[in-house]
Structure formats: structure tokens, C-alpha cells
Amino acid sequence: MDADRASPSTGASRQATVLRVTHAAPGFEVPAGACDCHVHVFGPAARYPFDPGRAYTPGDASVEELLALHDALGLKRVVIVHPSPYGTDNSCTLDASRRLGERARAVAVIDPGFGTEELREMHAAGVRGVRVNLETAGQHDPAAAGALLEAAARQVAPLGWHVQTYTNMAVIGALHETLMRLPVPLVVDHFGRARAEAGTGQAGFPELLTLVRAGRAYVKISAPHRISDRPDCADAGPLARALFEANPEHVVWGSDWPHPGGARTDIAAIEPFNPIDDGAALNRLAEWFPNAEARRLILVENPARLYGFS
């Protein structure tokens, strides 16, 4: 499952690991218009160079591979989230979104230097939000994190976009009042990094539930393998159900394909993707939510509202 170790700086052909995973077939009727709300596209490296300050170097994961997976799983819509190795160069993400057309929306990464015209061009390419990746950047100071989120919200509010963040329970708990006042919707990645084994009473989770209940935040019940030590991720189910019960219209699902790890410190080496079975992950959603109408909300109606799918 190892990726080709060709140097990322050479632009040489590199082998991704994503298609070597055998994915389970859906065990339920996937509703029409179902959306995977969290994927990344990488490469080719010769066309889309990585940021020198990146935390890790991924292999290639193409639009063609993504489409093959989604066609097999019956997923018809997708949200491409700009990954941290590209910094604020959104070219790879925007090109992928343009190629997929109305099937796709995108979440970009920007800085204060992005002007109005540039943001409008990104909107035309399908962008509907910006990501503030606090966790990968190692930003755990609530004051600094709050300032970054507020600045991003002010910048994109005129476009009707949302702010997405990858952070943890401690930051969410500390910033509860700030997050309640954001002028745009907040989208929280990967269960807010709540620890599955700690359950719904863990510090920070009640504040996240309050944000969801008030309609101020959406939560992606995505990548449970990031928060659970169990192979079946069964202990993430109570967190997912608690979020849905807080507000059924503010929960969405995502696969996190192609499952970058982001943990390697040697950026000269290509980090293999995690071998996650996305079919099993989709079936796990049906285990957590046996009711078909609940799954329709999570997979179809909530993403359509949040990302502006017609």
C-alpha cells in the first residue's frame, strides 16, 4: 500500500493508494442526490505544486478516481475541500470543481489578501465556503483561533459563504460565545474532534450541541476513524445521534477521501493515504440512522441547503 517515493519536487508520476482499497457495496438504498461533503483532490504534482511550508506530502488522488468511487457508492454530489498541502493556492481544488460542474461545490483556503473580484471568480467555480484549518496548523490558542475565524467570516459574508473549521473540543468550548455571534454559518469538521470513547458529556461537546441546536453550526459526521480507536467506530454513533437530535437539519456526512494522514514530519517523503473502506463508512451511517428519512436529511437535503445545490 506504499506510495511511490519519487521526490515531490520533481513532478514525477506518483502512485496514490486510493484505488487499492476494496470498498463494500452500499447495504441500503442511497437516496437520489446524496452528497459526500468532505473529499480532497491531489495532483498531479507537476501541475499543482505544494506549499513549501506544508505539514505533509500526499500522493495523487484524481478526479477520475473520485468519480469511480462515488459512482460505485451511488453518490451524485460532492464537496471538494481544499487541503492544507497547497496553502492558499486553490488551483487544484478549483479546477476539480469546474470539471465536475453542477455535481460539485468547493471549500477554499484564503488569506486577507484575496480581493472581491478573486472571490467572485471562486464563487463562479463553485466555492461556497472557506476553511480555517486550526488543528493542522497547531493553532490551539482560543484568542488567536477566534480572531482567525472572525476575520474569515467578515471577509466572506458578502458572498453568502460559510466558514469551515477543523479544530478540537477545547477550542470550541472556549469560543462558544464568539462562534454564536459569527455573521455566517459555521461548519465543524470531523465531529469537532470529540473523542468517541469520552461520549457526549466530554468537555466542549455540550457547547457544540448548543451551537447546532441554535442553528449556528453544521457538523460533519465524517472520518470517525480520526476520533475512535475501535475498528468499527461504533462508539462514534452516540455522538452522531446526539448532534442529529440537537438539530436534524444541521448534520451532514463526508468520507474524507482519499484519507490523508498529515502526520509525517519529513515532507520529502510521500505519505500514503489511510486504507479506509468508504463503502463500510457509508453503511455505518445507516447503522447509526436506520430511518431512511433521517439519512435523506443528512445525505441530500442538508447539503443541498448548505452548499446551494439546485
Side-chain angles (χ1 to χ4, degrees):
M1 300 287 291
D2 287 341
D4 187 322
R5 291 302 184 88
S7 169
S9 62
T10 66
S13 175
R14 305 179 308 154
Q15 177 64 51
T17 63
V18 288
L19 287 185
R20 299 184 187 181
V21 177
T22 299
H23 300 281
F28 66 100
E29 185 177 352
V30 178
C35 184
D36 183 344
C37 293
H38 198 103
V39 308
H40 309 291
V41 172
F42 296 104
R47 185 180 305 165
Y48 304 109
F50 295 117
D51 186 270
R54 65 192 179 277
Y56 67 99
T57 300
D60 291 348
S62 68
V63 170
E64 290 78 13
E65 291 168 313
L66 174 62
L67 283 174
L69 172 65
H70 280 181
D71 287 347
L73 297 182
L75 300 168
K76 299 304 181 185
R77 293 170 175 167
V78 64
V79 179
I80 305 168
V81 177
H82 187 65
S84 64
Y86 290 117
T88 58
D89 182 349
N90 292 274
S91 301
C92 183
T93 296
L94 294 178
D95 286 351
S97 181
R98 291 187 184 102
R99 286 183 62 188
L100 293 172
E102 280 304 306
R103 180 173 184 155
R105 295 291 184 268
V107 176
V109 174
I110 64 174
D111 59 35
F114 280 68
T116 301
E117 188 58 35
E118 190 171 5
L119 295 178
R120 287 175 178 166
E121 290 176 0
M122 294 168 73
H123 188 92
V127 174
R128 295 298 181 268
V130 292
R131 192 187 200 199
V132 180
N133 193 335
L134 301 170
E135 191 69 19
T136 301
Q139 182 54 267
H140 300 146
D141 175 61
L148 290 170
L149 291 167
E150 288 181 311
R154 288 192 299 269
Q155 193 173 4
V156 304
L159 292 143
W161 292 2
H162 63 266
V163 170
Q164 175 178 322
T165 189
Y166 182 37
T167 188
N168 58 51
M169 287 286 95
V171 172
I172 290 171
L175 290 180
H176 175 257
E177 295 302 320
T178 298
L179 300 178
M180 287 288 285
R181 296 193 302 268
L182 287 181
V184 301
L186 176 71
V187 178
V188 177
D189 286 351
H190 309 328
F191 294 83
R193 285 189 60 81
R195 287 305 307 167
E197 73 276 7
T200 59
Q202 64 189 283
F205 199 75
E207 286 84 355
L208 179 59
L209 288 177
T210 300
L211 288 164
V212 173
R213 191 175 294 116
R216 300 304 304 152
Y218 288 78
V219 178
K220 294 184 180 183
I221 51 173
S222 52
H225 61 278
R226 291 180 180 266
I227 67 165
S228 174
D229 294 327
R230 292 182 51 165
D232 62 0
C233 301
D235 51 355
L239 301 181
R241 287 188 289 270
L243 290 162
F244 185 80
E245 289 166 6
N247 191 336
E249 296 186 347
H250 277 248
V251 175
V252 296
W253 177 85
S255 67
D256 195 32
W257 183 93
H259 312 291
R264 179 171 292 169
T265 56
D266 179 11
I267 63 168
I270 296 169
E271 180 177 287
F273 299 122
N274 292 317
I276 302 298
D277 182 338
D278 292 302
L282 187 59
N283 287 333
R284 191 177 300 122
L285 180 70
E287 295 171 6
W288 294 344
F289 299 98
N291 181 273
E293 184 54 34
R295 296 196 298 269
R296 178 172 174 78
L297 280 170
I298 294 168
L299 290 171
V300 183
E301 295 183 20
N302 297 346
R305 182 188 327 107
L306 176 60
Y307 297 104
F309 288 105
S310 57

